[in-house]
Amino acid sequence: MPKPVILALDDDPSVLNSVERDLRARYGQEYRILAIDEGKAALEYLKKLEQRNETVALFLIDQRMPGMSGTEFLKEALHSYPQAKRALLTAYADSQAAIDSINEVGLDYYLMKPWHPPEERLYPVLDELLDDWKIHVRLPYEGIRVAGTLWSLACHQVKDFLTRHQIPYQWLDIEKDSSARNLVERVSADSKLPVIFFPDGSVLVAPELTTLADKVGLQTRAALPFYDIIIIGSGPAGLAAAVYAGSEGYRCLVIEKAAPGGQAGSSPKIENYLGFPSGISGDDLTRRAVSQAKRFGVEILSAQEAGTVEARDAYRIVKLNDGTEISCHALLMATGASFHTLTMPGADVLTGAGIYYGAAYTEAMNFKDQSVFVVGGANSAAQGALYLSRFASRVSVLIRGHQPTASKYLIDALNENEKIELLPDTDLLEVKGTNSLEQIVIKNTRNGDVQTCDAAAMFVFIGVRPQSQLVAGLVKCSDRGYIYTGPDVMVDKNPPPGWTLERDPFLLETSIPGIFAAGDVRYGTSHRVASAVGEGAIAYALMKEYLKTL
Ligand SMILES: Cc1cc2nc3c(=O)[nH]c(=O)nc-3n(C[C@H](O)[C@H](O)[C@H](O)COP(=O)(O)OP(=O)(O)OC[C@H]3O[C@@H](n4cnc5c(N)ncnc54)[C@H](O)[C@@H]3O)c2cc1C
């Protein structure tokens, strides 16, 4: 934590030197003493301090300065540091100005020059002011601060990215906090949001996630041009394969477009994963898996999307969306699945502004004591509703079918929760809102009743679709885009057309030798954390077999 600042301002160099010397002698251990000889320069410096979230304890300001009087300076400075104590240094002739400024700027004290000996005429006054400041001050947050509005998709994505990477930050809502708004206006001339302030004083305005990832020290570039194994996707399937590949000494790279953990990483509590009788949060499971993989030397790239995959001779080549090409011998598609998005008019504009897909737990506490909706009746929706009920006053769950399809333990928990209301046989017809979601229109499909409801937020968990687009033209997939592997790629008991090897495809191998698939993206999987982990482990064992044959 940087020391709080005592700022001395005087245009007379000899006075400034002597104030600085006296302040340093008494307060230098506990405070940073800044001595500046011009009002404008001091105001500029304050902006920098504010950007770094440093705090000012005391202003000791000369009243009579050319260009800007001490009172004028304090008026400006107090916008940034309203809690700082303020004292004017005045000559006898300025005492009326000092008295006036008691009202104008809430002056705490005025000291007549000369103040010597300081032990008698300066320190007792300042000691008292600083003691009082210490009792009442709220010290600023030391870490990353993200400033923006609740109703911005870009702000939501940044918060979600930091949360999913378990990087702490403070959220500053510029609609509620005027000092945050002033801070943002100074650095984001074209009002782009979010603005991210770092403890070293640097600022990023509406950055790409890769830029943010670089800034917070995540790996975004591969160290090598070639790996034995590349895994696309760092959900449970990808991480399981990575841990085994790393532990057996293979050069292994994991490419992740968002944050490690995949869908499982967004689960507030996984209760059916073997070995965790009281459940484990997706965060916790991810943190453990990531450290395990890294301990075995696996590289994990964050915020890097794999755009295409190519097979050239014995090489499998991945092209990232930033243009980088990385190659390997064995490739694992562990890209999982993502939620369907709403297609009704207006839903896209309100995404991130009241409509959220998946868990979006970063936003849950913003809807404290408000009414929110969950769309969907499966496990993820049930978990979402239970989590949101910790904050919201009411959680209404819109279910298309007659009843939720979630596991029994989750349905029991939904029924026992007084804040949760289940609305079966309900279709979502319309979403309404200008800058943010305001209302939704729903229809009861049993009796045809249509109802408009006020909605602060809606969390959508409807059906998942496989994220297989990047290999869609390369490997065989089902109509719905799930990647076929092993027996499913066989045609009349023969390997698929174009298959170049003597043997049949391995159990989790796709229609292209050396490209494997595991987890939610694979045809026939069971959409469970344990299945994804198991498939990841098996896929690794088969990739190892494949590598032996090269
Ligand atoms: C909210 C929620 C709660 C759940 N709770 C449970 C539960 O309690 N128990 C249970 O067993 N299951 C649960 N599930 C299901 C479980 O999480 C999934 O079955 C599991 O995560 C699938 O793992 P995966 O590794 O196959 O894919 P995913 O977890 O989907 O991970 C795939 C990863 O690949 C990345 N990716 C995709 N495309 C690219 C690309 N082109 N480039 C780079 N990266 C890419 C994605 O960003 C993602 O991180 C839950 C799911 C959700 C959403």
Side-chain angles (χ1 to χ4, degrees), residues 232-238 255-259 261-264 266-267 269-272 304-306 334-337 339 359 380 383 409 461 467 470 518-520 527-530 532:
I232 308 182
S234 67
I255 301 168
E256 171 55 56
K257 68 175 175 181
Q263 298 168 75
S266 73
S267 169
K269 200 171 187 190
I270 300 165
E271 289 185 75
N272 53 3
Q304 280 291 10
E305 181 161 4
T335 44
F339 286 104
S380 50
Q383 282 184 15
Y409 73 93
F461 301 79
Q467 304 199 78
L470 75 159
D520 276 15
H527 295 280
R528 289 281 185 274
V529 175

mmCIF file of all heavy atoms in Angstrom, residues 232-238 255-259 261-264 266-267 269-272 304-306 334-337 339 359 380 383 409 461 467 470 518-520 527-530 532, ligand 1:
data_model
loop_
_atom_site.group_PDB
_atom_site.id
_atom_site.type_symbol
_atom_site.label_atom_id
_atom_site.label_comp_id
_atom_site.label_asym_id
_atom_site.label_seq_id
_atom_site.Cartn_x
_atom_site.Cartn_y
_atom_site.Cartn_z
ATOM 1 N N ILE A 232 -7.557 -27.997 -27.907
ATOM 2 C CA ILE A 232 -8.340 -26.755 -28.051
ATOM 3 C C ILE A 232 -9.500 -26.838 -27.069
ATOM 4 O O ILE A 232 -10.341 -27.739 -27.152
ATOM 5 C CB ILE A 232 -8.857 -26.558 -29.489
ATOM 6 C CG1 ILE A 232 -7.701 -26.694 -30.488
ATOM 7 C CG2 ILE A 232 -9.524 -25.193 -29.629
ATOM 8 C CD1 ILE A 232 -8.094 -26.477 -31.933
ATOM 9 N N GLY A 233 -9.521 -25.881 -26.123
ATOM 10 C CA GLY A 233 -10.568 -25.863 -25.103
ATOM 11 C C GLY A 233 -10.024 -26.295 -23.757
ATOM 12 O O GLY A 233 -9.345 -27.320 -23.660
ATOM 13 N N SER A 234 -10.293 -25.498 -22.734
ATOM 14 C CA SER A 234 -9.776 -25.862 -21.399
ATOM 15 C C SER A 234 -10.900 -26.073 -20.407
ATOM 16 O O SER A 234 -10.834 -25.625 -19.266
ATOM 17 C CB SER A 234 -8.798 -24.807 -20.890
ATOM 18 O OG SER A 234 -9.495 -23.613 -20.653
ATOM 19 N N GLY A 235 -11.956 -26.775 -20.855
ATOM 20 C CA GLY A 235 -12.967 -27.253 -19.908
ATOM 21 C C GLY A 235 -12.433 -28.510 -19.250
ATOM 22 O O GLY A 235 -11.238 -28.850 -19.401
ATOM 23 N N PRO A 236 -13.280 -29.256 -18.539
ATOM 24 C CA PRO A 236 -12.807 -30.469 -17.859
ATOM 25 C C PRO A 236 -12.154 -31.472 -18.813
ATOM 26 O O PRO A 236 -11.146 -32.090 -18.449
ATOM 27 C CB PRO A 236 -14.080 -31.069 -17.261
ATOM 28 C CG PRO A 236 -15.076 -29.972 -17.242
ATOM 29 C CD PRO A 236 -14.697 -28.957 -18.264
ATOM 30 N N ALA A 237 -12.681 -31.631 -20.032
ATOM 31 C CA ALA A 237 -12.099 -32.616 -20.954
ATOM 32 C C ALA A 237 -10.682 -32.198 -21.338
ATOM 33 O O ALA A 237 -9.736 -32.999 -21.270
ATOM 34 C CB ALA A 237 -12.978 -32.742 -22.204
ATOM 35 N N GLY A 238 -10.522 -30.941 -21.744
ATOM 36 C CA GLY A 238 -9.213 -30.444 -22.176
ATOM 37 C C GLY A 238 -8.205 -30.473 -21.037
ATOM 38 O O GLY A 238 -7.053 -30.897 -21.214
ATOM 39 N N ILE A 255 -5.247 -24.314 -25.837
ATOM 40 C CA ILE A 255 -5.681 -23.009 -26.370
ATOM 41 C C ILE A 255 -7.097 -22.747 -25.869
ATOM 42 O O ILE A 255 -7.988 -23.576 -26.070
ATOM 43 C CB ILE A 255 -5.676 -23.033 -27.916
ATOM 44 C CG1 ILE A 255 -4.268 -23.345 -28.424
ATOM 45 C CG2 ILE A 255 -6.174 -21.702 -28.483
ATOM 46 C CD1 ILE A 255 -4.223 -23.672 -29.911
ATOM 47 N N GLU A 256 -7.303 -21.597 -25.229
ATOM 48 C CA GLU A 256 -8.626 -21.297 -24.663
ATOM 49 C C GLU A 256 -9.066 -19.904 -25.120
ATOM 50 O O GLU A 256 -8.336 -18.938 -24.950
ATOM 51 C CB GLU A 256 -8.546 -21.367 -23.128
ATOM 52 C CG GLU A 256 -9.783 -20.871 -22.392
ATOM 53 C CD GLU A 256 -11.070 -21.554 -22.827
ATOM 54 O OE1 GLU A 256 -11.157 -22.779 -22.768
ATOM 55 O OE2 GLU A 256 -12.019 -20.822 -23.239
ATOM 56 N N LYS A 257 -10.275 -19.822 -25.657
ATOM 57 C CA LYS A 257 -10.707 -18.513 -26.173
ATOM 58 C C LYS A 257 -11.212 -17.584 -25.067
ATOM 59 O O LYS A 257 -11.238 -16.375 -25.229
ATOM 60 C CB LYS A 257 -11.782 -18.689 -27.243
ATOM 61 C CG LYS A 257 -13.101 -19.213 -26.761
ATOM 62 C CD LYS A 257 -14.116 -19.216 -27.886
ATOM 63 C CE LYS A 257 -15.407 -19.874 -27.424
ATOM 64 N NZ LYS A 257 -16.411 -19.947 -28.438
ATOM 65 N N ALA A 258 -11.637 -18.172 -23.965
ATOM 66 C CA ALA A 258 -12.140 -17.327 -22.873
ATOM 67 C C ALA A 258 -11.284 -17.568 -21.639
ATOM 68 O O ALA A 258 -10.170 -17.053 -21.562
ATOM 69 C CB ALA A 258 -13.605 -17.649 -22.634
ATOM 70 N N ALA A 259 -11.831 -18.332 -20.687
ATOM 71 C CA ALA A 259 -11.085 -18.601 -19.459
ATOM 72 C C ALA A 259 -11.146 -20.092 -19.161
ATOM 73 O O ALA A 259 -12.120 -20.750 -19.522
ATOM 74 C CB ALA A 259 -11.714 -17.829 -18.307
ATOM 75 N N GLY A 261 -11.756 -23.715 -17.547
ATOM 76 C CA GLY A 261 -12.882 -24.237 -16.755
ATOM 77 C C GLY A 261 -14.095 -24.563 -17.599
ATOM 78 O O GLY A 261 -14.910 -25.396 -17.227
ATOM 79 N N GLY A 262 -14.231 -23.856 -18.742
ATOM 80 C CA GLY A 262 -15.375 -24.102 -19.623
ATOM 81 C C GLY A 262 -16.694 -23.919 -18.889
ATOM 82 O O GLY A 262 -16.792 -23.108 -17.965
ATOM 83 N N GLN A 263 -17.691 -24.705 -19.289
ATOM 84 C CA GLN A 263 -19.005 -24.595 -18.639
ATOM 85 C C GLN A 263 -18.898 -24.954 -17.159
ATOM 86 O O GLN A 263 -19.524 -24.335 -16.307
ATOM 87 C CB GLN A 263 -19.993 -25.552 -19.272
ATOM 88 C CG GLN A 263 -20.283 -25.310 -20.728
ATOM 89 C CD GLN A 263 -21.036 -26.512 -21.277
ATOM 90 O OE1 GLN A 263 -22.215 -26.681 -21.003
ATOM 91 N NE2 GLN A 263 -20.364 -27.349 -22.030
ATOM 92 N N ALA A 264 -18.099 -25.964 -16.861
ATOM 93 C CA ALA A 264 -18.005 -26.407 -15.472
ATOM 94 C C ALA A 264 -17.473 -25.274 -14.596
ATOM 95 O O ALA A 264 -17.903 -25.105 -13.455
ATOM 96 C CB ALA A 264 -17.099 -27.620 -15.378
ATOM 97 N N SER A 266 -18.200 -22.358 -14.673
ATOM 98 C CA SER A 266 -19.229 -21.377 -14.322
ATOM 99 C C SER A 266 -20.274 -21.982 -13.384
ATOM 100 O O SER A 266 -21.255 -21.335 -13.060
ATOM 101 C CB SER A 266 -19.908 -20.860 -15.597
ATOM 102 O OG SER A 266 -20.745 -21.864 -16.131
ATOM 103 N N SER A 267 -20.061 -23.201 -12.955
ATOM 104 C CA SER A 267 -21.045 -23.809 -12.056
ATOM 105 C C SER A 267 -20.769 -23.377 -10.614
ATOM 106 O O SER A 267 -19.646 -23.498 -10.138
ATOM 107 C CB SER A 267 -20.961 -25.328 -12.154
ATOM 108 O OG SER A 267 -21.728 -25.887 -11.124
ATOM 109 N N LYS A 269 -21.846 -24.824 -7.936
ATOM 110 C CA LYS A 269 -21.609 -25.987 -7.079
ATOM 111 C C LYS A 269 -21.865 -27.258 -7.865
ATOM 112 O O LYS A 269 -22.994 -27.505 -8.284
ATOM 113 C CB LYS A 269 -22.530 -25.928 -5.872
ATOM 114 C CG LYS A 269 -22.072 -26.767 -4.730
ATOM 115 C CD LYS A 269 -22.935 -26.472 -3.529
ATOM 116 C CE LYS A 269 -22.405 -27.159 -2.296
ATOM 117 N NZ LYS A 269 -23.355 -27.077 -1.213
ATOM 118 N N ILE A 270 -20.809 -28.030 -8.082
ATOM 119 C CA ILE A 270 -20.975 -29.314 -8.762
ATOM 120 C C ILE A 270 -21.121 -30.352 -7.659
ATOM 121 O O ILE A 270 -20.190 -30.575 -6.874
ATOM 122 C CB ILE A 270 -19.741 -29.604 -9.646
ATOM 123 C CG1 ILE A 270 -19.593 -28.489 -10.679
ATOM 124 C CG2 ILE A 270 -19.855 -30.960 -10.334
ATOM 125 C CD1 ILE A 270 -18.257 -28.447 -11.363
ATOM 126 N N GLU A 271 -22.292 -30.957 -7.586
ATOM 127 C CA GLU A 271 -22.558 -31.839 -6.440
ATOM 128 C C GLU A 271 -22.470 -33.312 -6.786
ATOM 129 O O GLU A 271 -22.594 -34.156 -5.912
ATOM 130 C CB GLU A 271 -23.940 -31.527 -5.861
ATOM 131 C CG GLU A 271 -23.969 -30.189 -5.147
ATOM 132 C CD GLU A 271 -25.286 -29.921 -4.468
ATOM 133 O OE1 GLU A 271 -25.549 -30.519 -3.422
ATOM 134 O OE2 GLU A 271 -26.063 -29.112 -5.010
ATOM 135 N N ASN A 272 -22.326 -33.628 -8.111
ATOM 136 C CA ASN A 272 -22.351 -35.044 -8.465
ATOM 137 C C ASN A 272 -21.018 -35.522 -9.029
ATOM 138 O O ASN A 272 -20.970 -36.481 -9.766
ATOM 139 C CB ASN A 272 -23.483 -35.304 -9.477
ATOM 140 C CG ASN A 272 -23.381 -34.372 -10.680
ATOM 141 O OD1 ASN A 272 -22.448 -33.582 -10.766
ATOM 142 N ND2 ASN A 272 -24.313 -34.468 -11.607
ATOM 143 N N GLN A 304 -7.429 -16.638 -26.472
ATOM 144 C CA GLN A 304 -6.960 -16.904 -27.839
ATOM 145 C C GLN A 304 -7.902 -17.908 -28.483
ATOM 146 O O GLN A 304 -8.014 -19.043 -28.015
ATOM 147 C CB GLN A 304 -5.544 -17.485 -27.834
ATOM 148 C CG GLN A 304 -4.445 -16.456 -27.666
ATOM 149 C CD GLN A 304 -4.284 -15.542 -28.876
ATOM 150 O OE1 GLN A 304 -5.094 -15.533 -29.796
ATOM 151 N NE2 GLN A 304 -3.223 -14.758 -28.868
ATOM 152 N N GLU A 305 -8.565 -17.495 -29.535
ATOM 153 C CA GLU A 305 -9.520 -18.400 -30.172
ATOM 154 C C GLU A 305 -8.869 -19.120 -31.348
ATOM 155 O O GLU A 305 -8.235 -18.495 -32.203
ATOM 156 C CB GLU A 305 -10.738 -17.599 -30.666
ATOM 157 C CG GLU A 305 -11.772 -18.500 -31.307
ATOM 158 C CD GLU A 305 -13.147 -17.859 -31.393
ATOM 159 O OE1 GLU A 305 -13.284 -16.675 -31.023
ATOM 160 O OE2 GLU A 305 -14.074 -18.557 -31.838
ATOM 161 N N ALA A 306 -9.040 -20.450 -31.377
ATOM 162 C CA ALA A 306 -8.579 -21.211 -32.535
ATOM 163 C C ALA A 306 -9.598 -20.990 -33.645
ATOM 164 O O ALA A 306 -10.795 -21.197 -33.442
ATOM 165 C CB ALA A 306 -8.477 -22.687 -32.168
ATOM 166 N N ALA A 334 -11.561 -30.215 -27.674
ATOM 167 C CA ALA A 334 -12.276 -30.298 -26.389
ATOM 168 C C ALA A 334 -13.016 -28.976 -26.214
ATOM 169 O O ALA A 334 -12.948 -28.334 -25.176
ATOM 170 C CB ALA A 334 -11.277 -30.536 -25.261
ATOM 171 N N THR A 335 -13.684 -28.572 -27.286
ATOM 172 C CA THR A 335 -14.269 -27.223 -27.342
ATOM 173 C C THR A 335 -15.669 -27.144 -26.735
ATOM 174 O O THR A 335 -16.276 -26.076 -26.727
ATOM 175 C CB THR A 335 -14.324 -26.744 -28.802
ATOM 176 O OG1 THR A 335 -14.801 -27.818 -29.607
ATOM 177 C CG2 THR A 335 -12.961 -26.329 -29.308
ATOM 178 N N GLY A 336 -16.186 -28.256 -26.255
ATOM 179 C CA GLY A 336 -17.426 -28.242 -25.485
ATOM 180 C C GLY A 336 -18.632 -27.720 -26.224
ATOM 181 O O GLY A 336 -18.777 -27.873 -27.446
ATOM 182 N N ALA A 337 -19.494 -27.073 -25.440
ATOM 183 C CA ALA A 337 -20.757 -26.599 -25.987
ATOM 184 C C ALA A 337 -21.066 -25.235 -25.395
ATOM 185 O O ALA A 337 -20.515 -24.856 -24.366
ATOM 186 C CB ALA A 337 -21.853 -27.597 -25.629
ATOM 187 N N PHE A 339 -24.423 -22.168 -24.807
ATOM 188 C CA PHE A 339 -25.882 -22.040 -24.791
ATOM 189 C C PHE A 339 -26.409 -21.390 -26.058
ATOM 190 O O PHE A 339 -25.747 -20.534 -26.644
ATOM 191 C CB PHE A 339 -26.324 -21.201 -23.588
ATOM 192 C CG PHE A 339 -26.197 -21.968 -22.308
ATOM 193 C CD1 PHE A 339 -25.166 -21.726 -21.430
ATOM 194 C CD2 PHE A 339 -27.116 -22.960 -22.002
ATOM 195 C CE1 PHE A 339 -25.038 -22.447 -20.266
ATOM 196 C CE2 PHE A 339 -26.994 -23.698 -20.835
ATOM 197 C CZ PHE A 339 -25.952 -23.440 -19.973
ATOM 198 N N ALA A 359 -24.247 -18.809 -16.599
ATOM 199 C CA ALA A 359 -24.260 -18.467 -15.190
ATOM 200 C C ALA A 359 -24.100 -16.968 -14.913
ATOM 201 O O ALA A 359 -24.809 -16.419 -14.090
ATOM 202 C CB ALA A 359 -23.183 -19.262 -14.507
ATOM 203 N N SER A 380 -28.237 -26.893 -15.349
ATOM 204 C CA SER A 380 -27.525 -25.615 -15.258
ATOM 205 C C SER A 380 -28.491 -24.499 -14.865
ATOM 206 O O SER A 380 -28.156 -23.629 -14.056
ATOM 207 C CB SER A 380 -26.842 -25.297 -16.580
ATOM 208 O OG SER A 380 -27.755 -25.426 -17.642
ATOM 209 N N GLN A 383 -29.259 -24.813 -11.139
ATOM 210 C CA GLN A 383 -28.153 -24.293 -10.326
ATOM 211 C C GLN A 383 -28.137 -22.768 -10.354
ATOM 212 O O GLN A 383 -27.908 -22.112 -9.348
ATOM 213 C CB GLN A 383 -26.821 -24.790 -10.875
ATOM 214 C CG GLN A 383 -26.520 -26.207 -10.511
ATOM 215 C CD GLN A 383 -25.130 -26.616 -11.001
ATOM 216 O OE1 GLN A 383 -24.316 -25.777 -11.364
ATOM 217 N NE2 GLN A 383 -24.876 -27.894 -11.008
ATOM 218 N N TYR A 409 -32.032 -34.107 -7.095
ATOM 219 C CA TYR A 409 -31.567 -33.320 -5.948
ATOM 220 C C TYR A 409 -31.737 -31.822 -6.209
ATOM 221 O O TYR A 409 -31.975 -31.034 -5.294
ATOM 222 C CB TYR A 409 -30.121 -33.696 -5.571
ATOM 223 C CG TYR A 409 -29.050 -33.196 -6.512
ATOM 224 C CD1 TYR A 409 -28.393 -31.982 -6.283
ATOM 225 C CD2 TYR A 409 -28.672 -33.918 -7.635
ATOM 226 C CE1 TYR A 409 -27.410 -31.524 -7.147
ATOM 227 C CE2 TYR A 409 -27.684 -33.476 -8.505
ATOM 228 C CZ TYR A 409 -27.063 -32.279 -8.249
ATOM 229 O OH TYR A 409 -26.087 -31.822 -9.108
ATOM 230 N N PHE A 461 -30.554 -20.216 -19.981
ATOM 231 C CA PHE A 461 -29.834 -21.501 -20.026
ATOM 232 C C PHE A 461 -30.619 -22.435 -20.943
ATOM 233 O O PHE A 461 -31.207 -23.411 -20.492
ATOM 234 C CB PHE A 461 -29.785 -22.155 -18.646
ATOM 235 C CG PHE A 461 -29.128 -21.351 -17.560
ATOM 236 C CD1 PHE A 461 -29.797 -20.316 -16.914
ATOM 237 C CD2 PHE A 461 -27.836 -21.655 -17.145
ATOM 238 C CE1 PHE A 461 -29.199 -19.601 -15.886
ATOM 239 C CE2 PHE A 461 -27.229 -20.945 -16.121
ATOM 240 C CZ PHE A 461 -27.911 -19.911 -15.494
ATOM 241 N N GLN A 467 -19.489 -26.637 -29.980
ATOM 242 C CA GLN A 467 -18.639 -25.591 -30.574
ATOM 243 C C GLN A 467 -17.626 -26.278 -31.503
ATOM 244 O O GLN A 467 -16.454 -26.421 -31.158
ATOM 245 C CB GLN A 467 -17.920 -24.820 -29.486
ATOM 246 C CG GLN A 467 -18.887 -24.224 -28.473
ATOM 247 C CD GLN A 467 -18.276 -23.100 -27.680
ATOM 248 O OE1 GLN A 467 -18.166 -21.986 -28.166
ATOM 249 N NE2 GLN A 467 -17.859 -23.389 -26.477
ATOM 250 N N LEU A 470 -15.039 -24.774 -36.076
ATOM 251 C CA LEU A 470 -13.690 -24.642 -36.657
ATOM 252 C C LEU A 470 -13.202 -25.905 -37.370
ATOM 253 O O LEU A 470 -12.242 -25.851 -38.122
ATOM 254 C CB LEU A 470 -12.669 -24.154 -35.619
ATOM 255 C CG LEU A 470 -12.139 -25.092 -34.552
ATOM 256 C CD1 LEU A 470 -10.825 -24.586 -34.015
ATOM 257 C CD2 LEU A 470 -13.148 -25.183 -33.451
ATOM 258 N N ALA A 518 -13.198 -34.989 -27.421
ATOM 259 C CA ALA A 518 -13.633 -35.473 -26.099
ATOM 260 C C ALA A 518 -14.564 -34.446 -25.473
ATOM 261 O O ALA A 518 -14.475 -33.249 -25.758
ATOM 262 C CB ALA A 518 -12.412 -35.673 -25.204
ATOM 263 N N GLY A 519 -15.462 -34.930 -24.633
ATOM 264 C CA GLY A 519 -16.337 -34.036 -23.868
ATOM 265 C C GLY A 519 -17.580 -33.639 -24.638
ATOM 266 O O GLY A 519 -18.029 -34.337 -25.554
ATOM 267 N N ASP A 520 -18.135 -32.485 -24.263
ATOM 268 C CA ASP A 520 -19.457 -32.073 -24.762
ATOM 269 C C ASP A 520 -19.532 -31.842 -26.269
ATOM 270 O O ASP A 520 -20.618 -31.763 -26.822
ATOM 271 C CB ASP A 520 -19.896 -30.783 -24.042
ATOM 272 C CG ASP A 520 -20.541 -31.079 -22.706
ATOM 273 O OD1 ASP A 520 -20.395 -32.218 -22.217
ATOM 274 O OD2 ASP A 520 -21.196 -30.175 -22.145
ATOM 275 N N HIS A 527 -22.720 -35.045 -21.414
ATOM 276 C CA HIS A 527 -22.826 -33.687 -20.863
ATOM 277 C C HIS A 527 -22.696 -33.663 -19.338
ATOM 278 O O HIS A 527 -23.550 -33.133 -18.625
ATOM 279 C CB HIS A 527 -24.148 -33.025 -21.287
ATOM 280 C CG HIS A 527 -24.226 -32.814 -22.773
ATOM 281 N ND1 HIS A 527 -23.607 -31.766 -23.407
ATOM 282 C CD2 HIS A 527 -24.824 -33.524 -23.740
ATOM 283 C CE1 HIS A 527 -23.826 -31.834 -24.718
ATOM 284 N NE2 HIS A 527 -24.561 -32.906 -24.937
ATOM 285 N N ARG A 528 -21.653 -34.253 -18.861
ATOM 286 C CA ARG A 528 -21.362 -34.256 -17.425
ATOM 287 C C ARG A 528 -19.879 -33.979 -17.230
ATOM 288 O O ARG A 528 -19.056 -34.352 -18.078
ATOM 289 C CB ARG A 528 -21.665 -35.633 -16.806
ATOM 290 C CG ARG A 528 -23.138 -35.967 -16.699
ATOM 291 C CD ARG A 528 -23.759 -35.266 -15.485
ATOM 292 N NE ARG A 528 -25.136 -35.646 -15.288
ATOM 293 C CZ ARG A 528 -26.179 -35.068 -15.893
ATOM 294 N NH1 ARG A 528 -25.978 -34.084 -16.752
ATOM 295 N NH2 ARG A 528 -27.401 -35.450 -15.626
ATOM 296 N N VAL A 529 -19.550 -33.382 -16.089
ATOM 297 C CA VAL A 529 -18.149 -33.085 -15.804
ATOM 298 C C VAL A 529 -17.329 -34.384 -15.790
ATOM 299 O O VAL A 529 -16.271 -34.480 -16.420
ATOM 300 C CB VAL A 529 -18.009 -32.369 -14.435
ATOM 301 C CG1 VAL A 529 -16.543 -32.162 -14.079
ATOM 302 C CG2 VAL A 529 -18.742 -31.043 -14.447
ATOM 303 N N ALA A 530 -17.855 -35.382 -15.095
ATOM 304 C CA ALA A 530 -17.092 -36.629 -14.959
ATOM 305 C C ALA A 530 -16.870 -37.295 -16.317
ATOM 306 O O ALA A 530 -15.783 -37.828 -16.580
ATOM 307 C CB ALA A 530 -17.815 -37.580 -14.007
ATOM 308 N N ALA A 532 -16.688 -35.774 -19.196
ATOM 309 C CA ALA A 532 -15.698 -34.971 -19.924
ATOM 310 C C ALA A 532 -14.293 -35.292 -19.424
ATOM 311 O O ALA A 532 -13.355 -35.479 -20.213
ATOM 312 C CB ALA A 532 -16.018 -33.491 -19.761
HETATM 313 C C1 LIG B 1 -23.933 -23.656 -15.199
HETATM 314 C C2 LIG B 1 -23.585 -25.092 -15.455
HETATM 315 C C3 LIG B 1 -23.616 -26.003 -14.408
HETATM 316 C C4 LIG B 1 -23.273 -27.348 -14.634
HETATM 317 N N1 LIG B 1 -23.300 -28.207 -13.570
HETATM 318 C C5 LIG B 1 -22.938 -29.489 -13.727
HETATM 319 C C6 LIG B 1 -22.928 -30.381 -12.622
HETATM 320 O O1 LIG B 1 -23.266 -30.014 -11.499
HETATM 321 N N2 LIG B 1 -22.508 -31.659 -12.843
HETATM 322 C C7 LIG B 1 -22.121 -32.107 -14.067
HETATM 323 O O2 LIG B 1 -21.699 -33.259 -14.179
HETATM 324 N N3 LIG B 1 -22.134 -31.279 -15.144
HETATM 325 C C8 LIG B 1 -22.536 -29.981 -15.008
HETATM 326 N N4 LIG B 1 -22.565 -29.134 -16.089
HETATM 327 C C9 LIG B 1 -22.154 -29.675 -17.401
HETATM 328 C C10 LIG B 1 -20.616 -29.704 -17.501
HETATM 329 O O3 LIG B 1 -20.109 -28.480 -17.044
HETATM 330 C C11 LIG B 1 -20.178 -29.962 -18.922
HETATM 331 O O4 LIG B 1 -20.669 -31.204 -19.322
HETATM 332 C C12 LIG B 1 -18.641 -29.970 -19.025
HETATM 333 O O5 LIG B 1 -18.123 -28.723 -18.637
HETATM 334 C C13 LIG B 1 -18.174 -30.290 -20.444
HETATM 335 O O6 LIG B 1 -16.796 -30.178 -20.481
HETATM 336 P P1 LIG B 1 -15.967 -29.946 -21.834
HETATM 337 O O7 LIG B 1 -14.554 -29.863 -21.425
HETATM 338 O O8 LIG B 1 -16.348 -30.981 -22.814
HETATM 339 O O9 LIG B 1 -16.481 -28.574 -22.444
HETATM 340 P P2 LIG B 1 -16.686 -27.127 -21.850
HETATM 341 O O10 LIG B 1 -16.790 -27.176 -20.378
HETATM 342 O O11 LIG B 1 -17.813 -26.562 -22.630
HETATM 343 O O12 LIG B 1 -15.326 -26.382 -22.218
HETATM 344 C C14 LIG B 1 -14.975 -26.098 -23.559
HETATM 345 C C15 LIG B 1 -13.973 -24.958 -23.585
HETATM 346 O O13 LIG B 1 -13.519 -24.792 -24.922
HETATM 347 C C16 LIG B 1 -13.372 -23.418 -25.204
HETATM 348 N N5 LIG B 1 -13.446 -23.211 -26.658
HETATM 349 C C17 LIG B 1 -14.490 -23.444 -27.475
HETATM 350 N N6 LIG B 1 -14.186 -23.138 -28.754
HETATM 351 C C18 LIG B 1 -12.914 -22.699 -28.747
HETATM 352 C C19 LIG B 1 -12.033 -22.227 -29.761
HETATM 353 N N7 LIG B 1 -12.394 -22.148 -31.039
HETATM 354 N N8 LIG B 1 -10.784 -21.821 -29.387
HETATM 355 C C20 LIG B 1 -10.394 -21.899 -28.093
HETATM 356 N N9 LIG B 1 -11.199 -22.326 -27.103
HETATM 357 C C21 LIG B 1 -12.440 -22.742 -27.421
HETATM 358 C C22 LIG B 1 -14.551 -22.800 -24.460
HETATM 359 O O14 LIG B 1 -14.337 -21.425 -24.210
HETATM 360 C C23 LIG B 1 -14.566 -23.623 -23.175
HETATM 361 O O15 LIG B 1 -13.766 -23.058 -22.172
HETATM 362 C C24 LIG B 1 -22.912 -27.800 -15.915
HETATM 363 C C25 LIG B 1 -22.886 -26.875 -16.980
HETATM 364 C C26 LIG B 1 -23.225 -25.539 -16.748
HETATM 365 C C27 LIG B 1 -23.190 -24.569 -17.888
#
